Amino acid sequence: FKKAKMKPMVKQVIKSSQREEKLERLEECGEKSGEALEALLSDLAKVSNSRERASKLFQWLIHPIPAKSFFRDTWEKKPVLIKRQNPDYYKGLFSTAEFDRILRQDDVQYGVNLDVTSYTNAKRETHNPPGRALPFTVWEFYESGCSLRMLNPQAFSSTVWSVLSILQEQFGSMAGANVYLTPPGTQGFAPHYDDIEAFVVQLEGKKHWRVYNPRSQDEVLPVVSSPNFSQSEIGKPILEVVLEAGDLLYFPRGFIHQGDCLLDAHSLHITVSSYQRNSWGNLLAKVVPAALEMAMEEDVDFRRGLPVDYLTYMGVQNSDKEDPRRVQFLCRIEELMKKLSTFAPVDAAVDQKAREYLHDCLPPMLTSEERASSVQGAPSRWEDGEAVDVGVTIRGQTRVRLIRSGIARLCSDGEAVWLYYTADNSRVYHKEEPKSVEIKAEQTDGMEFLIHAYPKFVTVGSLPCESAEDKVSLAELLFEKGLIHTAEPLQTAVE
């Protein structure tokens, strides 16, 4: 592989012993929002409603700003900085020690799970060799002044997985993350903007950040991320700050940003992201083609022929002409566009978005209680040469509920009703195909009942299906797919 050619710089070696010492120090914090993350997640596991759980975790993330005012005043509008003077606030989310452990124990691939980058002399470079990223090579890259970006830490870290799988319910959109480890005195990336809402969580060390306004209205809340910019293209920053451990920086998509390390400290941060391709325009991209197809089927006005001479006065070459026929043509287009909205299959388009969201989602990370009362905790096993405790029994009086509020959704393709779900998703983005199962017509009301009953447990017998057999078979299907759990762990059938 070709190593980065870096100018001599002040380096700070992060020794393994120092990392371990940092992990061992966990100070007690006076307020709930500053508790160790492990304790917070333990408390959240006791919250029975996953929507409420997501709300509480998000509030912890942006404390002390109230979530309501954040979404009203800041979200998609402007950057915000939270300085805490509490280096242990995000302790336990991720660390350099865990980074090192993952490199040693897991199959981390360059370009897939890890990028090695540099930004020197206004030039951004990637230095990924082929194959597995092993500590010997990775830390040598780091010592030569390269930044390390782990692209999907949730695939390797159960804590990051847990946090993101909870937060995705807050956003109703996939929550992703990248981890960035930067050596002292270096910068790994050129100025650019992203197509996601970014929450920069500083975990270790310090980082100097500059944030710039979108350059024009065309770049406000952009659809795609930008190329790399030169300093001359971006003007002056509207926010310049040094993030220290425990601090948070939020900026909306379209805000240009760059971060570089001070000479006296490395930086480890994780960027939590969401709201990629989740705009009104993205929804309308599904609504409009379907509405037009329906309109042409049902309304003759959309099927009438264009004027035979319209090419003589419409089009770019005729756009500067003053012609009453142009005015009449454009008025007709406006009338049809207004009429088109009456054919808009909005609910069907929302279901399309929902199916994409469910495919994007991380699977739920179950609490110990959820595991014990779900299919994952069923007592079936191999013992003394035979399968034992096979066939747990669901009865009419069994109390059940969905494992998560957003774990499944009913959608129709016009002929059949399908239940799309996240329980079998991979922790690696789109590694698996979308998961769904067909729901019988006589069981759709029962499925809707379960969805809307959450977070309450309901008896299988109360499901509004046509027969007792339909009720039990629906519950058995959902249990086997890992979508519901029971109020009490199930027992095997008594012979």
Side-chain angles (χ1 to χ4, degrees):
F1 58 86
K2 180 182 178 182
K3 285 192 179 178
K5 294 180 180 178
M6 308 293 292
K7 286 187 174 182
M9 60 191 70
V10 177
K11 298 178 181 177
Q12 175 180 336
V13 179
I14 309 172
K15 295 181 180 179
S16 177
S17 60
Q18 292 175 327
R19 297 191 200 106
E20 291 170 2
E21 288 173 8
K22 288 181 181 179
L23 283 172
E24 291 170 0
R25 294 198 311 267
L26 193 59
E27 297 178 1
E28 292 294 328
C29 301
E31 54 186 352
K32 183 177 179 59
S33 60
E35 288 180 351
L37 182 56
E38 183 179 357
L40 174 65
L41 292 175
S42 178
D43 287 344
L44 289 178
K46 301 168 188 174
V47 177
S48 63
N49 187 333
S50 62
R51 291 188 297 262
E52 183 181 345
R53 195 181 303 166
S55 177
K56 288 180 179 292
L57 184 59
F58 181 72
Q59 184 60 78
W60 167 82
L61 181 72
I62 64 166
H63 177 82
I65 300 174
K68 185 176 181 180
S69 63
F70 173 83
F71 283 111
R72 183 189 66 228
D73 303 329
T74 305
W75 176 253
E76 294 190 326
K77 295 182 181 71
K78 61 184 180 181
V80 70
L81 168 69
I82 299 174
K83 296 286 288 182
R84 289 207 173 84
Q85 289 79 46
N86 180 358
D88 290 330
Y89 190 86
Y90 295 117
K91 198 80 166 180
L93 181 53
F94 201 83
S95 66
T96 48
E98 186 165 16
F99 204 123
D100 184 68
R101 178 193 63 75
I102 290 169
L103 292 174
R104 295 179 185 283
Q105 297 179 2
D106 293 299
D107 183 14
V108 177
Q109 294 286 318
Y110 287 111
V112 178
N113 313 114
L114 185 74
D115 281 333
V116 179
T117 70
S118 65
Y119 180 70
T120 55
N121 299 322
K123 185 179 180 181
R124 158 81 162 83
E125 292 185 274
T126 301
H127 310 279
N128 293 337
R132 182 175 171 181
L134 291 166
F136 178 83
T137 306
V138 171
W139 293 125
E140 195 170 3
F141 270 125
Y142 176 85
E143 279 299 288
S144 71
C146 289
S147 289
L148 308 175
R149 173 172 65 180
M150 183 168 285
L151 299 171
N152 50 348
Q154 62 272 22
F156 306 106
S157 165
S158 59
T159 303
V160 176
W161 169 29
S162 177
V163 167
L164 296 181
S165 67
I166 294 172
L167 284 177
Q168 66 193 8
E169 284 200 56
Q170 170 70 29
F171 298 119
S173 175
M174 184 192 78
N178 287 338
V179 167
Y180 299 83
L181 179 61
T182 310
T186 71
Q187 181 169 334
F189 295 88
H192 67 283
Y193 62 71
D194 295 311
D195 61 346
I196 47 89
E197 301 300 298
F199 297 84
V200 178
V201 177
Q202 190 70 25
L203 300 172
E204 294 176 11
K206 303 175 184 178
K207 200 162 200 178
H208 169 233
W209 283 91
R210 286 167 283 175
V211 182
Y212 308 76
N213 272 325
R215 300 182 305 167
S216 69
Q217 276 299 113
D218 292 341
E219 294 181 355
V220 173
L221 303 179
V223 177
V224 295
S225 296
S226 74
N228 294 329
F229 294 124
S230 65
Q231 298 294 334
S232 62
E233 293 178 289
I234 58 178
K236 294 183 179 180
I238 60 166
L239 178 64
E240 186 166 6
V241 65
V242 174
L243 286 191
E244 299 179 274
D247 294 345
L248 175 77
L249 174 62
Y250 160 81
F251 44 82
R253 53 197 190 276
F255 278 77
I256 299 167
H257 53 277
Q258 60 180 324
D260 61 278
C261 262
L262 306 179
L263 293 174
D264 63 345
H266 76 286
S267 169
L268 180 75
H269 80 264
I270 185 169
T271 298
V272 175
S273 63
S274 192
Y275 256 59
Q276 187 178 50
R277 298 185 295 275
N278 204 41
S279 67
W280 284 103
N282 294 121
L283 177 61
L284 287 172
K286 300 182 183 302
V287 172
V288 173
L292 188 56
E293 182 179 348
M294 194 179 301
M296 292 187 71
E297 288 179 3
E298 299 182 11
D299 191 325
V300 68
D301 283 348
F302 288 88
R303 302 196 298 271
R304 297 189 193 281
L306 291 163
V308 293
D309 60 346
Y310 81 103
L311 293 178
T312 66
Y313 56 85
M314 296 305 299
V316 174
Q317 70 181 31
N318 302 307
S319 59
D320 293 332
K321 286 185 177 181
E322 291 188 10
D323 190 320
R325 293 175 300 173
R326 284 184 59 83
V327 176
Q328 187 177 2
F329 190 94
L330 293 173
C331 285
R332 185 59 178 152
I333 290 290
E334 185 177 352
E335 289 170 5
L336 290 173
M337 291 297 289
K338 288 180 179 178
K339 203 172 186 182
L340 185 63
S341 66
T342 65
F343 295 93
V346 177
D347 284 326
V350 168
D351 282 345
Q352 286 186 52
K353 284 286 295 172
R355 289 198 296 269
E356 292 176 355
Y357 162 58
L358 291 174
H359 188 205
D360 294 344
C361 275
L362 286 163
M365 183 175 176
L366 303 186
T367 66
S368 56
E369 291 80 6
E370 289 167 342
R371 184 176 295 274
S373 57
S374 71
V375 68
Q376 294 195 29
S380 305
R381 65 193 184 281
W382 182 263
E383 189 174 279
D384 296 330
E386 61 179 354
V388 298
D389 288 341
V390 176
V392 295
T393 302
I394 292 179
R395 299 182 173 87
Q397 63 268 34
T398 305
R399 295 168 60 228
V400 299
R401 73 165 187 172
L402 294 179
I403 284 184
R404 292 286 185 280
S405 170
I407 198 171
R409 186 182 184 93
L410 279 175
C411 299
S412 173
D413 62 6
E415 297 178 359
V417 176
W418 296 84
L419 186 71
Y420 287 80
Y421 58 92
T422 67
D424 291 338
N425 284 3
S426 170
R427 288 160 64 178
V428 176
Y429 179 72
H430 284 193
K431 184 179 181 181
E432 302 287 339
E433 292 299 312
K435 304 299 181 182
S436 64
V437 61
E438 187 174 356
I439 300 295
K440 297 177 183 178
E442 57 269 24
Q443 294 178 329
T444 55
D445 287 346
M447 191 65 237
E448 284 187 9
F449 180 81
L450 262 178
I451 289 172
H452 296 306
Y454 185 88
K456 295 179 181 178
F457 284 93
V458 296
T459 63
V460 172
S462 68
L463 300 180
C465 299
E466 293 183 2
S467 69
E469 183 181 354
D470 288 335
K471 298 175 183 183
V472 172
S473 66
L474 174 61
E476 288 176 340
L477 171 66
L478 299 175
F479 187 81
E480 290 169 5
K481 295 293 184 183
L483 304 181
I484 62 171
H485 68 125
T486 55
E488 302 292 338
L490 288 176
Q491 303 297 317
T492 54
V494 178
E495 297 291 337

